Every structure is written in C-alpha cells, then in structure tokens.
C-alpha cells in the first residue's frame, strides 16, 4: 500500500550545519548578536569564578558550620534518585582532590574500593555516618553504569545490518511476524515491507544510520508491547495523518541515542534504577518515545509528512523539557508490564 515516507536518519548522527555536533544538541537557529555574546560571556565568567573561587570558600564555610563535608550534606539534604546522584556527580567532578575526581570514572568493579578511598580522604567515620558508604556506592554504580550503558548502545549502533547474518535475518522476520501475524511474507525482498513502514523492498537499507540498534528497538517494542505496537502501526496507516511506522521508529532510536549521549537521560535512569542501568532500560525508554510520539503526531495534526522534521524536533524539545524534572520517570510501565 502507498505510504508517505519521512526522511530516514542520516548514516551518522551528525548534522552538516553544525560540523561534528549532534543536531539535537543545538538550536535550529543559533543565538547571535551583541546581547547573546554578552550573556554568554557573563555566564562563562560567573561559572569560572564560582567553580574556581566562590565554591571553595562556600564549601569551607559550610564545613565549619555543620562539621560535614559536601558529600555528607548532599546525602542529608537530597532524596535518593537523580536529585542526589547528579549533585554527587557534580561535586566529585569539581573536587580539588584527585581521589574524588577519579570517582566519576571508575568501573563497577572498582566502586567499593573507591568508596573506601573517598571515606579515608574525607575522614568520614563509618560508625557516626552509617549510611554514607551505602549511599555513595549506589551513586557511583549509577554513574559508572550510565557510562557503560552508553558504550553498549553505541557498540550496537555501530553494528551494520548484514543480510548474510542469520541472527539479523531472524530478528527482521520476527518483527514482521509480531506486527503482521495474519499475513505471510511472500519473499524476503518484497514491497510488503512498506506495509510496516519501510521505504523499499529490502529493509536493510533503512538501518544504515542506527545499525542493529534500530532493529533491536523495533523488535523490543513489538515483542514486549505487542498490542500497543499494532495499535501504533494501525494509526500510522491513517489516510490523512499517516506516517511510515518503521522509518519513524528508527528516527526515534536516533532521538533516544542522542539523549543518552548528551547525558539528558541521566535524570530518568537515575530515578528508574537504584544501581546499574541496563540495555533493557534504554529499550523501555524507546518504547515510551514511540508510544508518546504517535499521540503527539495526531494531536498536532501536521499538514503533511513533509513537515516531519519540524514536528520531530518539537517532540524532541518536549521530551528534553520533561527530562529536566528530576522526579520524573518516562516509561510505559503504567500501561502494561513487559
């Protein structure tokens, strides 16, 4: 059946307008002019003075008044989750102590040793502050886990779809069977693929930008939220507001990937997982994006599919705005547990 096709993701996550910068991480029209330059200069100057001068003395004064180091004060004044872990990550990263600065780069296996090193460096008595060790371990596991998750996602993205790879082919056929259980494929290369939103007779060409990450995301949503996936696919066939389900799905993989890479997903994942975030949690966030984008698309009622990039960017900004809420978790768990 005929279908209007939005642009597929580029072969890399780069935008020519901004050289080597992710398009999602820059405004469409960068600020310019004397006012913008003065504002940036003020922010830079304040940031430099705060981190190199004011912050040190503020910490010293508070230590004298409370008898506690900054890490202890954060644990005492912040609830578990992103609010606490982001503050701990910031504090460690700006510390004058090499022991503390290195803590944000340790692996999972090094966390316990690192915690003991920090307690020794800051002269923290475990008998008096019984919860410090456990709380810091959780934060460091989240921090190291986020970095590890990004590498896993990046490695999967770099794997190109290979039609000679039996596992790749099985995943692709599984996607079809999950979405179209009552219709058999007539051939491996067929126009039927357009029925689930691919651009041509062979879907492998559509995975160039996101590699196997795009396919794994599509299959995960279809497998764990089958009824929702079929519902979204059905809505994508709308005569006026229709879009290409698979191509949009791959575009949303790119969105999830860029949010992870930029660090915007930290608040969500630190709230969601009291420890090491896993690939499963990235897939869950992707499912949220697909489901919510479909609702957003129909609420916006675009004039045509030719405006897809505009509405995708608008949705992207909306999600980034939500992620600024350090108490929020963006999943579909409230709809159905996988």
């Amino acid at each position: 059946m005929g279908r209007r096709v939005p642009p597929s993701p580029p072969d890399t996550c780069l935008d020519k307008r901004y050289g080597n910068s992710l398009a999602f991480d820059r405004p469409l029209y960068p600020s310019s002019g004397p006012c913008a330059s003065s504002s940036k200069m003020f922010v830079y100057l304040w940031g430099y003075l705060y981190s190199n001068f004011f912050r040190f003395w503020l910490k010293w004064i508070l230590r004298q008044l409370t008898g506690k180091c900054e890490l202890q004060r954060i644990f005492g004044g912040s609830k578990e989750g992103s609010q606490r872990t982001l503050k701990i990550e910031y504090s460690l990263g700006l510390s004058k102590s090499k022991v503390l600065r290195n803590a944000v780069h340790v692996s999972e296996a090094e966390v316990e040793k690192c915690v003991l090193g920090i307690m020794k460096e800051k002269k923290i008595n475990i008998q008096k502050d019984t919860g410090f060790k456990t709380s810091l371990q959780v934060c460091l596991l989240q921090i190291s886990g986020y970095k590890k998750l990004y590498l896993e996602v990046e490695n999967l993205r770099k794997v190109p779809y290979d039609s000679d790879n039996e596992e790749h082919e099985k995943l692709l056929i599984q996607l079809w069977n999950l979405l179209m259980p009552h219709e058999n494929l007539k051939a491996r290369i067929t126009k039927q693929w357009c029925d689930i939103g691919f651009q041509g007779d062979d879907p492998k060409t559509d995975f160039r930008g996101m590699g196997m990450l795009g396919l794994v995301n599509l299959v995960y949503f279809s497998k764990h939220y089958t009824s929702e996936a079929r519902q979204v696919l059905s809505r994508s066939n709308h005569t006026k507001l229709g879009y290409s389900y698979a191509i949009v799905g791959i575009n949303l993989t790119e969105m999830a990937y860029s949010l992870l890479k930029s660090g915007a997903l930290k608040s969500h994942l630190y709230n969601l997982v009291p420890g090491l975030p896993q690939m499963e949690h990235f897939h869950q966030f992707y499912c949220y994006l697909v489901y919510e984008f479909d609702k957003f698309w129909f609420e916006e009622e675009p004039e045509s599919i030719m405006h897809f990039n505009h509405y995708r960017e608008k949705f992207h900004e909306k999600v980034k705005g939500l992620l600024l809420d350090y108490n929020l978790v963006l999943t579909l768990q409230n709809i159905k547990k996988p």
Side-chain angles (χ1 to χ4, degrees), residues 115-146:
V115 169
L116 294 175
I118 290 174
M119 294 180 70
K120 181 179 179 181
E121 178 82 4
K122 304 303 290 185
K123 299 181 175 59
I124 294 173
N125 188 328
I126 194 171
Q127 304 300 326
K128 292 182 178 180
D129 196 341
T130 56
F132 183 89
K133 181 180 179 182
T134 300
S135 296
L136 186 56
Q137 279 182 327
V138 169
C139 290
L140 292 187
L141 283 174
Q142 289 183 315
I143 294 167
S144 65
Y146 190 93

PDB file of all heavy atoms in Angstrom, residues 115-146:
ATOM      1  N   VAL A 115      34.951   3.954  47.107  1.00  0.00           N
ATOM      2  CA  VAL A 115      34.186   4.493  48.226  1.00  0.00           C
ATOM      3  C   VAL A 115      35.043   4.544  49.492  1.00  0.00           C
ATOM      4  O   VAL A 115      35.058   5.550  50.215  1.00  0.00           O
ATOM      5  CB  VAL A 115      32.914   3.660  48.479  1.00  0.00           C
ATOM      6  CG1 VAL A 115      32.260   4.062  49.800  1.00  0.00           C
ATOM      7  CG2 VAL A 115      31.931   3.839  47.333  1.00  0.00           C
ATOM      8  N   LEU A 116      35.779   3.478  49.742  1.00  0.00           N
ATOM      9  CA  LEU A 116      36.652   3.438  50.916  1.00  0.00           C
ATOM     10  C   LEU A 116      37.741   4.505  50.818  1.00  0.00           C
ATOM     11  O   LEU A 116      38.101   5.134  51.817  1.00  0.00           O
ATOM     12  CB  LEU A 116      37.282   2.046  51.051  1.00  0.00           C
ATOM     13  CG  LEU A 116      36.307   0.901  51.359  1.00  0.00           C
ATOM     14  CD1 LEU A 116      37.034  -0.433  51.357  1.00  0.00           C
ATOM     15  CD2 LEU A 116      35.611   1.133  52.695  1.00  0.00           C
ATOM     16  N   GLY A 117      38.252   4.725  49.592  1.00  0.00           N
ATOM     17  CA  GLY A 117      39.267   5.749  49.391  1.00  0.00           C
ATOM     18  C   GLY A 117      38.725   7.144  49.657  1.00  0.00           C
ATOM     19  O   GLY A 117      39.418   7.988  50.248  1.00  0.00           O
ATOM     20  N   ILE A 118      37.495   7.389  49.254  1.00  0.00           N
ATOM     21  CA  ILE A 118      36.863   8.698  49.489  1.00  0.00           C
ATOM     22  C   ILE A 118      36.609   8.909  50.982  1.00  0.00           C
ATOM     23  O   ILE A 118      36.846  10.006  51.513  1.00  0.00           O
ATOM     24  CB  ILE A 118      35.539   8.805  48.706  1.00  0.00           C
ATOM     25  CG1 ILE A 118      35.829   8.892  47.201  1.00  0.00           C
ATOM     26  CG2 ILE A 118      34.725  10.019  49.156  1.00  0.00           C
ATOM     27  CD1 ILE A 118      34.594   8.860  46.332  1.00  0.00           C
ATOM     28  N   MET A 119      36.157   7.866  51.659  1.00  0.00           N
ATOM     29  CA  MET A 119      35.899   7.985  53.099  1.00  0.00           C
ATOM     30  C   MET A 119      37.186   8.275  53.869  1.00  0.00           C
ATOM     31  O   MET A 119      37.189   9.054  54.825  1.00  0.00           O
ATOM     32  CB  MET A 119      35.239   6.707  53.616  1.00  0.00           C
ATOM     33  CG  MET A 119      33.844   6.467  53.041  1.00  0.00           C
ATOM     34  SD  MET A 119      33.054   4.969  53.637  1.00  0.00           S
ATOM     35  CE  MET A 119      32.723   5.439  55.340  1.00  0.00           C
ATOM     36  N   LYS A 120      38.269   7.678  53.402  1.00  0.00           N
ATOM     37  CA  LYS A 120      39.571   7.939  54.037  1.00  0.00           C
ATOM     38  C   LYS A 120      40.030   9.364  53.740  1.00  0.00           C
ATOM     39  O   LYS A 120      40.511  10.070  54.633  1.00  0.00           O
ATOM     40  CB  LYS A 120      40.608   6.934  53.515  1.00  0.00           C
ATOM     41  CG  LYS A 120      41.987   7.111  54.132  1.00  0.00           C
ATOM     42  CD  LYS A 120      42.952   6.067  53.597  1.00  0.00           C
ATOM     43  CE  LYS A 120      44.345   6.259  54.204  1.00  0.00           C
ATOM     44  NZ  LYS A 120      45.310   5.250  53.672  1.00  0.00           N
ATOM     45  N   GLU A 121      39.850   9.786  52.491  1.00  0.00           N
ATOM     46  CA  GLU A 121      40.265  11.133  52.071  1.00  0.00           C
ATOM     47  C   GLU A 121      39.497  12.215  52.836  1.00  0.00           C
ATOM     48  O   GLU A 121      40.074  13.234  53.232  1.00  0.00           O
ATOM     49  CB  GLU A 121      40.026  11.286  50.568  1.00  0.00           C
ATOM     50  CG  GLU A 121      40.354  12.646  49.990  1.00  0.00           C
ATOM     51  CD  GLU A 121      41.832  12.834  49.697  1.00  0.00           C
ATOM     52  OE1 GLU A 121      42.604  11.855  49.886  1.00  0.00           O
ATOM     53  OE2 GLU A 121      42.209  13.939  49.288  1.00  0.00           O
ATOM     54  N   LYS A 122      38.195  11.990  53.058  1.00  0.00           N
ATOM     55  CA  LYS A 122      37.351  12.995  53.709  1.00  0.00           C
ATOM     56  C   LYS A 122      37.218  12.761  55.218  1.00  0.00           C
ATOM     57  O   LYS A 122      36.465  13.463  55.895  1.00  0.00           O
ATOM     58  CB  LYS A 122      35.957  13.007  53.074  1.00  0.00           C
ATOM     59  CG  LYS A 122      35.953  13.229  51.564  1.00  0.00           C
ATOM     60  CD  LYS A 122      36.651  14.511  51.151  1.00  0.00           C
ATOM     61  CE  LYS A 122      35.899  15.740  51.549  1.00  0.00           C
ATOM     62  NZ  LYS A 122      36.537  16.994  51.042  1.00  0.00           N
ATOM     63  N   LYS A 123      37.946  11.743  55.713  1.00  0.00           N
ATOM     64  CA  LYS A 123      37.952  11.444  57.161  1.00  0.00           C
ATOM     65  C   LYS A 123      36.534  11.234  57.696  1.00  0.00           C
ATOM     66  O   LYS A 123      36.125  11.816  58.710  1.00  0.00           O
ATOM     67  CB  LYS A 123      38.649  12.560  57.941  1.00  0.00           C
ATOM     68  CG  LYS A 123      40.105  12.764  57.569  1.00  0.00           C
ATOM     69  CD  LYS A 123      40.743  13.873  58.390  1.00  0.00           C
ATOM     70  CE  LYS A 123      42.229  14.008  58.113  1.00  0.00           C
ATOM     71  NZ  LYS A 123      42.539  14.300  56.704  1.00  0.00           N
ATOM     72  N   ILE A 124      35.792  10.377  57.022  1.00  0.00           N
ATOM     73  CA  ILE A 124      34.406  10.096  57.414  1.00  0.00           C
ATOM     74  C   ILE A 124      34.371   8.863  58.312  1.00  0.00           C
ATOM     75  O   ILE A 124      34.855   7.793  57.925  1.00  0.00           O
ATOM     76  CB  ILE A 124      33.524   9.891  56.179  1.00  0.00           C
ATOM     77  CG1 ILE A 124      33.440  11.211  55.405  1.00  0.00           C
ATOM     78  CG2 ILE A 124      32.135   9.407  56.569  1.00  0.00           C
ATOM     79  CD1 ILE A 124      32.749  11.115  54.088  1.00  0.00           C
ATOM     80  N   ASN A 125      33.804   9.016  59.465  1.00  0.00           N
ATOM     81  CA  ASN A 125      33.697   7.924  60.433  1.00  0.00           C
ATOM     82  C   ASN A 125      32.457   7.093  60.123  1.00  0.00           C
ATOM     83  O   ASN A 125      31.326   7.574  60.254  1.00  0.00           O
ATOM     84  CB  ASN A 125      33.617   8.504  61.858  1.00  0.00           C
ATOM     85  CG  ASN A 125      33.708   7.422  62.918  1.00  0.00           C
ATOM     86  OD1 ASN A 125      33.272   6.292  62.715  1.00  0.00           O
ATOM     87  ND2 ASN A 125      34.288   7.785  64.056  1.00  0.00           N
ATOM     88  N   ILE A 126      32.667   5.845  59.727  1.00  0.00           N
ATOM     89  CA  ILE A 126      31.543   4.990  59.334  1.00  0.00           C
ATOM     90  C   ILE A 126      30.622   4.675  60.503  1.00  0.00           C
ATOM     91  O   ILE A 126      29.435   4.367  60.308  1.00  0.00           O
ATOM     92  CB  ILE A 126      32.072   3.686  58.699  1.00  0.00           C
ATOM     93  CG1 ILE A 126      30.923   2.964  57.973  1.00  0.00           C
ATOM     94  CG2 ILE A 126      32.704   2.786  59.740  1.00  0.00           C
ATOM     95  CD1 ILE A 126      31.378   1.789  57.139  1.00  0.00           C
ATOM     96  N   GLN A 127      31.139   4.750  61.734  1.00  0.00           N
ATOM     97  CA  GLN A 127      30.320   4.492  62.912  1.00  0.00           C
ATOM     98  C   GLN A 127      29.338   5.639  63.163  1.00  0.00           C
ATOM     99  O   GLN A 127      28.204   5.430  63.598  1.00  0.00           O
ATOM    100  CB  GLN A 127      31.217   4.293  64.149  1.00  0.00           C
ATOM    101  CG  GLN A 127      32.253   3.197  63.996  1.00  0.00           C
ATOM    102  CD  GLN A 127      31.623   1.840  63.737  1.00  0.00           C
ATOM    103  OE1 GLN A 127      30.545   1.538  64.249  1.00  0.00           O
ATOM    104  NE2 GLN A 127      32.290   1.017  62.943  1.00  0.00           N
ATOM    105  N   LYS A 128      29.770   6.866  62.861  1.00  0.00           N
ATOM    106  CA  LYS A 128      28.921   8.034  63.078  1.00  0.00           C
ATOM    107  C   LYS A 128      27.974   8.273  61.897  1.00  0.00           C
ATOM    108  O   LYS A 128      26.846   8.734  62.076  1.00  0.00           O
ATOM    109  CB  LYS A 128      29.791   9.270  63.314  1.00  0.00           C
ATOM    110  CG  LYS A 128      30.579   9.234  64.623  1.00  0.00           C
ATOM    111  CD  LYS A 128      31.369  10.524  64.801  1.00  0.00           C
ATOM    112  CE  LYS A 128      32.121  10.523  66.122  1.00  0.00           C
ATOM    113  NZ  LYS A 128      32.912  11.770  66.316  1.00  0.00           N
ATOM    114  N   ASP A 129      28.472   7.989  60.696  1.00  0.00           N
ATOM    115  CA  ASP A 129      27.655   8.208  59.487  1.00  0.00           C
ATOM    116  C   ASP A 129      27.434   6.860  58.816  1.00  0.00           C
ATOM    117  O   ASP A 129      28.076   6.506  57.826  1.00  0.00           O
ATOM    118  CB  ASP A 129      28.370   9.180  58.541  1.00  0.00           C
ATOM    119  CG  ASP A 129      27.435   9.748  57.497  1.00  0.00           C
ATOM    120  OD1 ASP A 129      26.376   9.142  57.269  1.00  0.00           O
ATOM    121  OD2 ASP A 129      27.760  10.792  56.898  1.00  0.00           O
ATOM    122  N   THR A 130      26.522   6.088  59.370  1.00  0.00           N
ATOM    123  CA  THR A 130      26.342   4.689  58.958  1.00  0.00           C
ATOM    124  C   THR A 130      25.826   4.524  57.526  1.00  0.00           C
ATOM    125  O   THR A 130      26.082   3.518  56.885  1.00  0.00           O
ATOM    126  CB  THR A 130      25.372   3.976  59.917  1.00  0.00           C
ATOM    127  OG1 THR A 130      24.135   4.713  59.958  1.00  0.00           O
ATOM    128  CG2 THR A 130      25.957   3.893  61.311  1.00  0.00           C
ATOM    129  N   GLY A 131      25.090   5.518  57.020  1.00  0.00           N
ATOM    130  CA  GLY A 131      24.509   5.352  55.693  1.00  0.00           C
ATOM    131  C   GLY A 131      25.363   5.881  54.562  1.00  0.00           C
ATOM    132  O   GLY A 131      25.033   5.691  53.380  1.00  0.00           O
ATOM    133  N   PHE A 132      26.481   6.536  54.888  1.00  0.00           N
ATOM    134  CA  PHE A 132      27.292   7.186  53.851  1.00  0.00           C
ATOM    135  C   PHE A 132      27.833   6.187  52.825  1.00  0.00           C
ATOM    136  O   PHE A 132      27.730   6.409  51.619  1.00  0.00           O
ATOM    137  CB  PHE A 132      28.452   7.942  54.501  1.00  0.00           C
ATOM    138  CG  PHE A 132      29.297   8.694  53.519  1.00  0.00           C
ATOM    139  CD1 PHE A 132      28.992   9.997  53.157  1.00  0.00           C
ATOM    140  CD2 PHE A 132      30.410   8.097  52.930  1.00  0.00           C
ATOM    141  CE1 PHE A 132      29.763  10.690  52.239  1.00  0.00           C
ATOM    142  CE2 PHE A 132      31.187   8.774  52.007  1.00  0.00           C
ATOM    143  CZ  PHE A 132      30.859  10.075  51.661  1.00  0.00           C
ATOM    144  N   LYS A 133      28.418   5.110  53.300  1.00  0.00           N
ATOM    145  CA  LYS A 133      29.058   4.144  52.405  1.00  0.00           C
ATOM    146  C   LYS A 133      28.068   3.567  51.396  1.00  0.00           C
ATOM    147  O   LYS A 133      28.321   3.539  50.193  1.00  0.00           O
ATOM    148  CB  LYS A 133      29.691   3.016  53.218  1.00  0.00           C
ATOM    149  CG  LYS A 133      30.403   1.975  52.352  1.00  0.00           C
ATOM    150  CD  LYS A 133      31.013   0.875  53.221  1.00  0.00           C
ATOM    151  CE  LYS A 133      31.695  -0.178  52.349  1.00  0.00           C
ATOM    152  NZ  LYS A 133      32.264  -1.282  53.163  1.00  0.00           N
ATOM    153  N   THR A 134      26.910   3.124  51.889  1.00  0.00           N
ATOM    154  CA  THR A 134      25.907   2.530  51.016  1.00  0.00           C
ATOM    155  C   THR A 134      25.369   3.549  50.019  1.00  0.00           C
ATOM    156  O   THR A 134      25.214   3.256  48.827  1.00  0.00           O
ATOM    157  CB  THR A 134      24.740   1.958  51.841  1.00  0.00           C
ATOM    158  OG1 THR A 134      25.231   0.966  52.734  1.00  0.00           O
ATOM    159  CG2 THR A 134      23.687   1.333  50.932  1.00  0.00           C
ATOM    160  N   SER A 135      25.103   4.753  50.483  1.00  0.00           N
ATOM    161  CA  SER A 135      24.556   5.790  49.609  1.00  0.00           C
ATOM    162  C   SER A 135      25.538   6.159  48.502  1.00  0.00           C
ATOM    163  O   SER A 135      25.156   6.325  47.338  1.00  0.00           O
ATOM    164  CB  SER A 135      24.210   7.037  50.426  1.00  0.00           C
ATOM    165  OG  SER A 135      23.193   6.765  51.359  1.00  0.00           O
ATOM    166  N   LEU A 136      26.811   6.284  48.858  1.00  0.00           N
ATOM    167  CA  LEU A 136      27.815   6.641  47.860  1.00  0.00           C
ATOM    168  C   LEU A 136      28.010   5.503  46.860  1.00  0.00           C
ATOM    169  O   LEU A 136      28.203   5.748  45.659  1.00  0.00           O
ATOM    170  CB  LEU A 136      29.139   6.989  48.538  1.00  0.00           C
ATOM    171  CG  LEU A 136      30.240   7.508  47.612  1.00  0.00           C
ATOM    172  CD1 LEU A 136      29.773   8.727  46.826  1.00  0.00           C
ATOM    173  CD2 LEU A 136      31.502   7.837  48.413  1.00  0.00           C
ATOM    174  N   GLN A 137      27.941   4.274  47.324  1.00  0.00           N
ATOM    175  CA  GLN A 137      28.066   3.120  46.422  1.00  0.00           C
ATOM    176  C   GLN A 137      26.964   3.146  45.362  1.00  0.00           C
ATOM    177  O   GLN A 137      27.225   2.916  44.178  1.00  0.00           O
ATOM    178  CB  GLN A 137      28.006   1.813  47.216  1.00  0.00           C
ATOM    179  CG  GLN A 137      29.313   1.428  47.867  1.00  0.00           C
ATOM    180  CD  GLN A 137      29.218   0.105  48.614  1.00  0.00           C
ATOM    181  OE1 GLN A 137      28.162  -0.232  49.162  1.00  0.00           O
ATOM    182  NE2 GLN A 137      30.300  -0.640  48.641  1.00  0.00           N
ATOM    183  N   VAL A 138      25.743   3.420  45.799  1.00  0.00           N
ATOM    184  CA  VAL A 138      24.620   3.469  44.858  1.00  0.00           C
ATOM    185  C   VAL A 138      24.859   4.547  43.803  1.00  0.00           C
ATOM    186  O   VAL A 138      24.675   4.318  42.605  1.00  0.00           O
ATOM    187  CB  VAL A 138      23.296   3.734  45.606  1.00  0.00           C
ATOM    188  CG1 VAL A 138      22.173   4.043  44.611  1.00  0.00           C
ATOM    189  CG2 VAL A 138      22.914   2.536  46.465  1.00  0.00           C
ATOM    190  N   CYS A 139      25.278   5.724  44.239  1.00  0.00           N
ATOM    191  CA  CYS A 139      25.511   6.833  43.304  1.00  0.00           C
ATOM    192  C   CYS A 139      26.604   6.494  42.304  1.00  0.00           C
ATOM    193  O   CYS A 139      26.461   6.744  41.098  1.00  0.00           O
ATOM    194  CB  CYS A 139      25.878   8.101  44.071  1.00  0.00           C
ATOM    195  SG  CYS A 139      24.516   8.818  45.019  1.00  0.00           S
ATOM    196  N   LEU A 140      27.704   5.913  42.778  1.00  0.00           N
ATOM    197  CA  LEU A 140      28.814   5.586  41.884  1.00  0.00           C
ATOM    198  C   LEU A 140      28.436   4.465  40.918  1.00  0.00           C
ATOM    199  O   LEU A 140      28.893   4.445  39.769  1.00  0.00           O
ATOM    200  CB  LEU A 140      30.059   5.211  42.686  1.00  0.00           C
ATOM    201  CG  LEU A 140      30.712   6.336  43.493  1.00  0.00           C
ATOM    202  CD1 LEU A 140      32.037   5.869  44.093  1.00  0.00           C
ATOM    203  CD2 LEU A 140      30.933   7.564  42.634  1.00  0.00           C
ATOM    204  N   LEU A 141      27.613   3.535  41.376  1.00  0.00           N
ATOM    205  CA  LEU A 141      27.137   2.476  40.479  1.00  0.00           C
ATOM    206  C   LEU A 141      26.267   3.073  39.374  1.00  0.00           C
ATOM    207  O   LEU A 141      26.350   2.663  38.210  1.00  0.00           O
ATOM    208  CB  LEU A 141      26.348   1.429  41.260  1.00  0.00           C
ATOM    209  CG  LEU A 141      27.171   0.432  42.077  1.00  0.00           C
ATOM    210  CD1 LEU A 141      26.252  -0.446  42.921  1.00  0.00           C
ATOM    211  CD2 LEU A 141      28.033  -0.452  41.165  1.00  0.00           C
ATOM    212  N   GLN A 142      25.424   4.034  39.724  1.00  0.00           N
ATOM    213  CA  GLN A 142      24.592   4.680  38.715  1.00  0.00           C
ATOM    214  C   GLN A 142      25.440   5.455  37.711  1.00  0.00           C
ATOM    215  O   GLN A 142      25.207   5.405  36.506  1.00  0.00           O
ATOM    216  CB  GLN A 142      23.588   5.615  39.394  1.00  0.00           C
ATOM    217  CG  GLN A 142      22.494   4.890  40.156  1.00  0.00           C
ATOM    218  CD  GLN A 142      21.485   5.854  40.759  1.00  0.00           C
ATOM    219  OE1 GLN A 142      21.850   6.874  41.341  1.00  0.00           O
ATOM    220  NE2 GLN A 142      20.209   5.538  40.622  1.00  0.00           N
ATOM    221  N   ILE A 143      26.439   6.169  38.213  1.00  0.00           N
ATOM    222  CA  ILE A 143      27.303   6.968  37.354  1.00  0.00           C
ATOM    223  C   ILE A 143      28.112   6.089  36.410  1.00  0.00           C
ATOM    224  O   ILE A 143      28.167   6.326  35.197  1.00  0.00           O
ATOM    225  CB  ILE A 143      28.242   7.855  38.199  1.00  0.00           C
ATOM    226  CG1 ILE A 143      27.428   8.901  38.963  1.00  0.00           C
ATOM    227  CG2 ILE A 143      29.291   8.532  37.319  1.00  0.00           C
ATOM    228  CD1 ILE A 143      28.210   9.622  40.050  1.00  0.00           C
ATOM    229  N   SER A 144      28.743   5.050  36.954  1.00  0.00           N
ATOM    230  CA  SER A 144      29.544   4.151  36.116  1.00  0.00           C
ATOM    231  C   SER A 144      28.642   3.344  35.182  1.00  0.00           C
ATOM    232  O   SER A 144      28.999   3.076  34.031  1.00  0.00           O
ATOM    233  CB  SER A 144      30.378   3.205  36.988  1.00  0.00           C
ATOM    234  OG  SER A 144      29.548   2.331  37.745  1.00  0.00           O
ATOM    235  N   GLY A 145      27.454   2.988  35.670  1.00  0.00           N
ATOM    236  CA  GLY A 145      26.520   2.214  34.854  1.00  0.00           C
ATOM    237  C   GLY A 145      26.016   2.997  33.657  1.00  0.00           C
ATOM    238  O   GLY A 145      25.799   2.438  32.577  1.00  0.00           O
ATOM    239  N   TYR A 146      25.810   4.297  33.839  1.00  0.00           N
ATOM    240  CA  TYR A 146      25.361   5.143  32.730  1.00  0.00           C
ATOM    241  C   TYR A 146      26.398   5.164  31.616  1.00  0.00           C
ATOM    242  O   TYR A 146      26.072   5.020  30.437  1.00  0.00           O
ATOM    243  CB  TYR A 146      25.098   6.562  33.226  1.00  0.00           C
ATOM    244  CG  TYR A 146      24.397   7.443  32.217  1.00  0.00           C
ATOM    245  CD1 TYR A 146      23.013   7.565  32.221  1.00  0.00           C
ATOM    246  CD2 TYR A 146      25.118   8.157  31.256  1.00  0.00           C
ATOM    247  CE1 TYR A 146      22.354   8.374  31.292  1.00  0.00           C
ATOM    248  CE2 TYR A 146      24.471   8.955  30.319  1.00  0.00           C
ATOM    249  CZ  TYR A 146      23.086   9.066  30.348  1.00  0.00           C
ATOM    250  OH  TYR A 146      22.456   9.855  29.413  1.00  0.00           O
TER     251      TYR A 146
END
